[in-house]
Amino acid sequence: MTCPLLEYRRDGGDHSFETARAYCTATETFVEPMRADICNDRYDLHHAEDCEIYESHASEASE
Amino acid sequence: MSYERYLDGDPVIITAALTGGVHGKEANPNVPETPAEIAAAAQACEAAGASVVHLHARRPNGERAFSRERFQELTTAVRDATDLVIQHSTGGTGAPDDLRHEPLRTDPAPDMASLDMGPLNRYDHLTSENTRALVGSLAAEMRERGIKPEMELFNSGHITEARRLVEQDVLEPPYYGTLIFGGGTLTRPTPGNFLASIHDLPDETLFNTLGFGPHQLPFAAMGIVFGGHVRVGLEDNVYLRRGEKAESNAQLVERAATLAETLERPVATPDEAREILGL
């Protein structure tokens, strides 16, 4: 399962790309490639455990 | 010892780190990501004075890739476009150990490959572990395939690890290590730490100097003056100066080459770099 905050977009903010890239809907920014592996739960990474942005978002949502 | 190399006018090897595995075009649209973009950037860097190119592979959307196939496509494109010494990254925070070996398995093998010498933190929750077992297995495969390790020394503990490998005869001289300065678990970027680091290296070690972000330029200068080599590029720093993003990797290489020439050290050609590094 990938992060529910993840989208793939070609445009956002001041950026425009030829290929859709990982975009975090919580921070409203395109995601660094290393962080995109967390968003996608690749390898042994998991967004709920390894991403402080998701952690903060989930914490706010539960309040 | 190292200042004598400066006084002797030994050539300085400039390594161009073009892409990296952390940020991409979202940080600076001039970061090359596709094999064609990376090959073109490498060619421009060679013309600007680079003699070594440090390579990371990416997926078409810019995300990290570690497979042999991705590295094969990339390294072939760069070899076809340049005469540079080819250095593959084996770094990969969060990637499983078996994937970390894949960049060593291209045909031909890379001339060099990075060897991260121990743990470092990323973000709030990740650590690139780089266990002794992984470092040892990567070093062994490099030796078997005739690949020279570029030891990445992110902090002083990693210099201790380098000394251990030298004592165990795992590496062949001349040893080559990149001293890395920056935030987090990296050596704090101060001139004092730089001097302490170069004096702590094992005998017969040539050093490369890498400062992240705003430290790229001053640490390149220190590396040149103290007889070391330098690494620059958009992997480590996306700015030319404060508030102004770099237009290309070649722009950063050209600045380093100008710096070396101003300080009266010649810039090594790729063939000179091969000789210096014992390739």
Side-chain angles (χ1 to χ4, degrees):
Chain A
M1 194 183 100
T2 60
C3 177
L5 302 172
L6 174 68
E7 290 182 0
Y8 275 82
R9 294 185 183 179
R10 292 175 57 186
D11 299 294
D14 296 333
H15 295 285
S16 182
F17 300 106
E18 290 180 10
T19 305
R21 297 174 75 102
Y23 183 90
C24 176
T25 56
T27 60
E28 299 184 334
T29 57
F30 283 98
V31 174
E32 285 188 333
M34 181 181 287
R35 192 179 284 282
D37 284 336
I38 306 174
C39 307
N40 282 288
D41 292 354
R42 288 197 187 108
Y43 316 126
D44 289 331
L45 302 173
H46 194 273
H47 65 274
E49 296 167 5
D50 298 321
C51 180
E52 60 273 21
I53 298 166
Y54 177 85
E55 185 179 54
S56 172
H57 179 83
S59 173
E60 286 174 13
S62 66
E63 286 174 0
Chain B
M1 66 169 188
S2 62
Y3 186 56
E4 279 70 29
R5 291 198 194 111
Y6 168 75
L7 294 175
D8 291 343
D10 286 2
V12 58
I13 297 168
I14 299 176
T15 295
L18 306 177
T19 305
V22 179
H23 55 257
K25 290 184 188 294
E26 79 293 338
N28 182 329
N30 300 313
V31 173
E33 293 178 340
T34 67
E37 288 175 344
I38 293 172
Q43 195 170 43
C45 287
E46 182 178 30
S51 47
V52 177
V53 64
H54 176 81
L55 298 175
H56 287 252
R58 297 291 186 93
R59 300 166 190 242
N61 63 5
E63 292 174 15
R64 300 187 303 169
F66 303 98
S67 70
R68 187 193 66 79
E69 290 77 13
R70 292 271 187 209
F71 267 89
Q72 186 66 58
E73 184 183 7
L74 172 60
T75 202
T76 298
V78 175
R79 281 184 190 278
D80 287 348
T82 76
D83 185 40
L84 292 164
V85 174
I86 303 289
Q87 182 185 97
H88 289 179
S89 171
T90 65
T93 303
D97 288 1
D98 58 340
L99 274 184
R100 302 278 296 274
H101 284 259
E102 290 275 304
L104 304 178
R105 295 171 180 169
T106 57
D107 182 17
D111 304 299
M112 304 178 74
S114 64
L115 185 61
D116 295 355
M117 293 299 291
L120 65 151
N121 290 338
R122 302 279 194 187
Y123 308 134
D124 283 5
H125 293 283
L126 298 193
T127 297
S128 187
E129 294 177 339
N130 302 312
T131 61
R132 280 184 173 170
L134 176 61
V135 173
S137 67
L138 287 169
E141 184 162 345
M142 288 185 205
R143 187 165 184 150
E144 184 183 312
R145 291 180 59 77
I147 300 166
K148 188 170 191 70
E150 176 249 344
M151 294 183 286
E152 299 217 338
L153 306 164
F154 290 91
N155 56 51
S156 60
H158 296 178
I159 297 176
T160 310
E161 291 291 324
R163 298 180 77 91
R164 185 180 62 83
L165 290 191
V166 167
E167 287 166 7
Q168 293 178 344
D169 275 338
V170 172
L171 309 172
E172 293 178 10
Y175 314 114
Y176 190 66
T178 298
L179 296 168
I180 304 172
F181 301 88
T185 32
L186 278 57
T187 303
R188 204 159 59 82
T190 69
N193 285 341
F194 171 77
L195 288 173
S197 296
I198 64 174
H199 288 303
D200 200 30
L201 289 167
D203 291 342
E204 299 184 79
T205 302
L206 304 172
F207 73 91
N208 188 27
T209 316
L210 163 56
F212 277 137
H215 307 292
Q216 187 166 89
L217 179 62
F219 276 76
M222 284 190 270
I224 292 166
V225 168
F226 285 93
H229 303 284
V230 302
R231 171 170 141 174
V232 295
L234 294 171
E235 170 173 349
D236 309 316
N237 166 39
V238 296
Y239 288 91
L240 180 64
R241 55 177 63 90
R242 285 183 180 84
E244 182 183 343
K245 289 192 175 175
E247 293 176 0
S248 66
N249 279 288
Q251 193 179 32
L252 298 171
V253 170
E254 186 176 10
R255 181 170 66 175
T258 301
L259 191 59
E261 286 159 2
T262 302
L263 292 167
E264 297 192 30
R265 271 189 76 188
V267 175
T269 65
D271 281 345
E272 287 172 331
R274 288 183 178 90
E275 188 177 342
I276 293 165
L277 295 166
L279 299 177

